Amino acid sequence: MLGLGLGIGAGQALPLARYNIGGKAPAVVADYSAGVYGLDGRAVTFDGLFDFARQSAAWKLNALGHWVKALAGEPRRGHHIWQGGKLVPAGLAVCSEVRTNLLLNSDALSTQVVTVAAVEHVLSFTGTGTVTLSGAATDGPLIGAGTGEVNSVRLAFTPSAGPLTLTVSGDVQTAQLEAGPFATDYISTEAAQVSTAAESLQIAPVELARAVGVFGSELNPDPSFATVWNTADGGISAADGKLIFEDVAVNDRSFVVRSPATAGDTILLEVDVDDLTSGALRFAIGGANNYALAAGKYSFLIPATTAASTIGVYADTAPTNAVVSRFSARKVTMPVALTFLMTGTMTRAKEPESSSNAIPLQWESDADNFIDLRVSTAGAHTGKPSFRSKVGGVLTEVLGADDALALGSEEAFALAFVLDATHIEGFYNGVSTGQTAHGGMAALLAAPMQLLPVGSAIIKDLRLWPNALPSAAMVGATS
């Protein structure tokens, strides 16, 4: 995966030391409510640490209690919630599902007819008016409690399929009708229904590897390109510490003979291409063309699927006047231990057979190798956390209480786990699962660490350590 620089930020006044636990500084800090982000002890920007995606606009509640639009691709940072009668900064809002407001002109609702499916729906609004249902459902009526989000009222019901009439009297604002078991963040509509796309949040793999990975020695024995690099193909030369391609043919290459990788290794490659008049270069490992290079600074995490005896640069489409000024390759491996902490608020409803009602964390290279954290509502569970590690197909899982996490809207949570070479331990709201033996961690650095790939939550605080923090410290951190 490509990562272009660290995006180091400036002006973040809060010292990162305040996020230490048990005297250990986290390698990754994200205080979404305060807007503070840190990587390996340095202040960085949100974009320098996370990959975020959403293919549509969405809405967030600002400090004045107003719903404001976040454009497509813009994270909903600075989201606020009502807590203890006050509007407080809650952090980053993330919803993994597509949501649709079925109502028209929702800021100031008037009577209308909507076609609905025979599935659970939720109606919500603010204001002092009343909405009466008829046709496909006759639940309610829903009576307003006052203006502002603090006075939002909600009605869950399951209609029959067909036309649903919503008769409005009085002042009904920020109205939303959506399919699903709970109300999500408001979606403003005018003359047509509006949908918000699913949101995706992950720690950029290159930055995660730099923060928690264990690095081997430099695999390029000749950073100046002057001696051991093979430049026998025509048009390739080395001068002033740079590798120069001039009017070369396709597939002409320059490489260093080395044994940089065995199957299963992960390589961090950093390449600077200073100039490229035309054509394209391509990085290669083990004779296989892997990643295209234009002019720019590049960082790649490369999973080596086979053993490799060479690393180098190929002429991909006959480049002219291409200059490579830096070529660094280092093997990077998983840390011997890992501690993860996430706090915030979560919105969930009972799903009787769901073992993954919410997934706050998923770090997975394939189905047989992963670390994840799930919340179950299967059977009698209302919020049972499971902390899982799978290595080579062997799963180790530690479990919390069946009702550890509350159902409802914007319910507070604090979840953490500690993994070391021999044990896994989970923590939830000040409670430890106790330690369970396991066989170590899978090699996951080439895979993204996904945050809330399933669920609807507002993440307040995220921290990650390449250490095993003490149990007592994590009980305190999640209390």
Side-chain angles (χ1 to χ4, degrees), residues 8-205:
I8 294 177
Q12 295 186 14
L14 294 176
L16 296 179
R18 66 178 294 193
Y19 301 101
N20 294 1
I21 293 179
K24 297 289 186 179
V28 173
V29 171
D31 184 342
Y32 298 102
S33 61
V36 175
Y37 308 98
L39 180 67
D40 206 18
R42 297 166 292 174
V44 298
T45 63
F46 178 94
D47 292 337
L49 183 54
F50 296 101
D51 292 332
F52 175 83
R54 187 188 60 249
Q55 299 302 312
S56 74
W59 281 258
K60 65 181 180 180
L61 196 65
N62 69 9
L64 299 176
H66 300 151
W67 287 103
V68 295
K69 181 185 286 188
L71 299 178
E74 178 186 349
R76 291 187 291 153
R77 292 175 287 173
H79 188 69
H80 287 64
I81 61 173
W82 285 96
Q83 196 172 73
K86 297 180 180 180
L87 194 61
V88 297
L92 175 71
V94 180
C95 183
S96 66
E97 297 181 354
V98 175
R99 307 298 288 185
T100 301
N101 189 349
L102 301 174
L103 301 176
L104 308 184
N105 301 304
S106 59
D107 289 354
L109 194 68
S110 58
T111 297
Q112 56 191 267
V113 179
V114 178
T115 300
V116 294
V119 297
E120 191 170 7
H121 285 66
V122 177
L123 172 66
S124 60
F125 67 83
T126 62
T128 57
T130 299
V131 177
T132 302
L133 305 181
S134 59
T138 57
D139 304 71
L142 185 60
I143 301 171
T147 59
E149 189 63 22
V150 67
N151 292 307
S152 178
V153 292
R154 299 170 184 183
L155 174 66
F157 63 98
T158 302
S160 57
L164 173 69
T165 300
L166 298 94
T167 302
V168 177
S169 61
D171 179 34
V172 175
Q173 304 172 12
T174 60
Q176 185 149 303
L177 176 65
E178 57 192 311
F182 54 81
T184 58
D185 292 330
Y186 178 59
I187 303 169
S188 179
T189 71
E190 294 179 352
Q193 296 175 354
V194 174
S195 296
T196 57
E199 291 170 307
S200 169
L201 177 68
Q202 62 187 38
I203 302 178

Side-chain angles (χ1 to χ4, degrees), residues 174-270:
T174 60
Q176 185 149 303
L177 176 65
E178 57 192 311
F182 54 81
T184 58
D185 292 330
Y186 178 59
I187 303 169
S188 179
T189 71
E190 294 179 352
Q193 296 175 354
V194 174
S195 296
T196 57
E199 291 170 307
S200 169
L201 177 68
Q202 62 187 38
I203 302 178
V206 167
E207 317 312 339
L208 183 59
R210 285 173 172 158
V212 304
V214 179
F215 284 90
S217 59
E218 174 61 58
L219 297 173
N220 177 9
D222 183 19
S224 67
F225 308 107
T227 55
V228 299
W229 277 74
N230 180 322
T231 55
D233 286 334
I236 305 176
S237 61
D240 300 323
K242 298 179 180 180
L243 192 64
I244 301 168
F245 290 73
E246 290 186 282
D247 299 318
V248 296
V250 174
N251 287 331
D252 279 357
R253 66 193 186 279
S254 181
F255 61 89
V256 58
V257 177
R258 186 77 178 230
S259 297
T262 57
D265 285 351
T266 298
I267 305 296
L268 176 64
L269 174 77
E270 297 170 292

Side-chain angles (χ1 to χ4, degrees), residues 186-431:
Y186 178 59
I187 303 169
S188 179
T189 71
E190 294 179 352
Q193 296 175 354
V194 174
S195 296
T196 57
E199 291 170 307
S200 169
L201 177 68
Q202 62 187 38
I203 302 178
V206 167
E207 317 312 339
L208 183 59
R210 285 173 172 158
V212 304
V214 179
F215 284 90
S217 59
E218 174 61 58
L219 297 173
N220 177 9
D222 183 19
S224 67
F225 308 107
T227 55
V228 299
W229 277 74
N230 180 322
T231 55
D233 286 334
I236 305 176
S237 61
D240 300 323
K242 298 179 180 180
L243 192 64
I244 301 168
F245 290 73
E246 290 186 282
D247 299 318
V248 296
V250 174
N251 287 331
D252 279 357
R253 66 193 186 279
S254 181
F255 61 89
V256 58
V257 177
R258 186 77 178 230
S259 297
T262 57
D265 285 351
T266 298
I267 305 296
L268 176 64
L269 174 77
E270 297 170 292
V271 182
D272 293 355
V273 181
D274 292 351
D275 191 18
L276 190 62
T277 302
S278 64
L281 296 174
R282 186 169 290 271
F283 160 71
I285 182 168
N289 292 343
N290 287 296
Y291 296 94
L293 306 172
K297 297 180 183 293
Y298 295 86
S299 296
F300 300 96
L301 272 177
I302 301 166
T305 56
T306 60
S309 60
T310 62
I311 53 176
V313 180
Y314 278 63
D316 189 40
T317 55
T320 58
N321 301 321
V323 177
V324 177
S325 61
R326 184 187 184 207
F327 191 102
S328 171
R330 290 176 293 165
K331 179 180 175 180
V332 57
T333 57
M334 290 286 287
V336 294
L338 193 69
T339 299
F340 172 88
L341 169 67
M342 179 189 286
T343 69
T345 60
M346 200 178 304
T347 297
R348 297 184 307 108
K350 175 68 174 173
E351 295 178 88
E353 299 308 322
S354 177
S355 61
S356 54
N357 178 257
I359 303 178
L361 167 77
Q362 183 170 283
W363 196 10
E364 178 179 304
S365 63
D366 55 51
D368 287 331
N369 297 277
F370 60 75
I371 295 167
D372 69 14
L373 197 169
R374 295 175 176 241
V375 180
S376 167
T377 56
H381 305 165
T382 56
K384 186 182 186 72
S386 64
F387 308 84
R388 310 194 309 167
S389 175
K390 196 172 188 180
V391 184
V394 179
L395 177 67
T396 304
E397 181 177 27
V398 292
L399 301 171
D402 291 355
D403 58 352
L405 302 179
L407 295 170
S409 178
E410 296 170 353
E411 295 287 343
F413 74 90
L415 296 166
F417 65 71
V418 175
L419 286 165
D420 62 23
T422 58
H423 295 89
I424 179 172
E425 184 176 7
F427 303 87
Y428 56 95
N429 298 342
V431 177

